[in-house]
Amino acid sequence: MATQRLFFALELPDTLQQQLVQWRADCFPAEAGTPVAAANLHLTLAFLGDVSDTTAARLQQLAARITQPAFTLDLDDAGHWPRPGVVWLGCQRAPRGLLQLADLLRAQAARHGCAQSAQPFHPHITLLRHATEQVALPPRQFHWRCDIQHFALLASVFRQGRTRYQAVARWPLRAASGV
């Protein structure tokens, strides 16, 4: 049976990807870790793992039914997880819409046999992998806002010695109601 390595995620606009790449280059020396390719910068909502085509199709049908409002993501926090060697960018206060969307997708994934981490959801964008334990984080003088209008199902594709993330499907979030 054919499988794909899949995950639900928020894709970042190209302009934000480029801004983050420049900021990362300005803030972290080359020896700090392995940079994630600009095109691979994303925020994982629910990791699915190796999924059969049948399960992937069912999860896509369920994702299409989600009527979650759009939200704004404020990227204003950074950290280093020494054990996995990851430097990340995230938000000090995750928007309720992001948490709800992740909870919905993680619950659907679990019901369809995709094991979910017992760790609480920590929304983040991985900037560096294989980061040294001595990596110094930049001072807290950064902030990016990103209006999130859709979410996606991404496939992890390993080709020619590189991993790339390719969109399998995308779904719009409904317009936020005026308050």
Side-chain angles (χ1 to χ4, degrees), residues 79-99:
H80 175 230
W81 292 322
R83 177 166 260 173
V86 166
V87 172
W88 53 267
L89 182 65
C91 41
Q92 292 182 30
R93 298 181 118 177
R96 185 173 58 179
L98 170 60
L99 299 175

Side-chain angles (χ1 to χ4, degrees), residues 76-151:
D76 59 358
D77 195 16
H80 175 230
W81 292 322
R83 177 166 260 173
V86 166
V87 172
W88 53 267
L89 182 65
C91 41
Q92 292 182 30
R93 298 181 118 177
R96 185 173 58 179
L98 170 60
L99 299 175
Q100 290 171 336
L101 180 60
D103 285 348
L104 282 167
L105 293 169
R106 289 169 60 124
Q108 288 177 357
R111 281 194 295 275
H112 286 83
C114 302
Q116 297 299 296
S117 171
Q119 297 290 326
F121 177 63
H122 184 274
H124 69 281
I125 298 162
T126 299
L127 298 174
L128 297 170
R129 296 190 185 282
H130 314 294
T132 64
E133 291 189 28
Q134 298 83 16
V135 69
L137 295 175
R140 303 263 182 219
Q141 298 171 348
F142 55 87
H143 178 79
W144 289 274
R145 289 178 63 91
C146 179
D147 291 326
I148 304 299
Q149 304 294 324
H150 71 275
F151 67 101

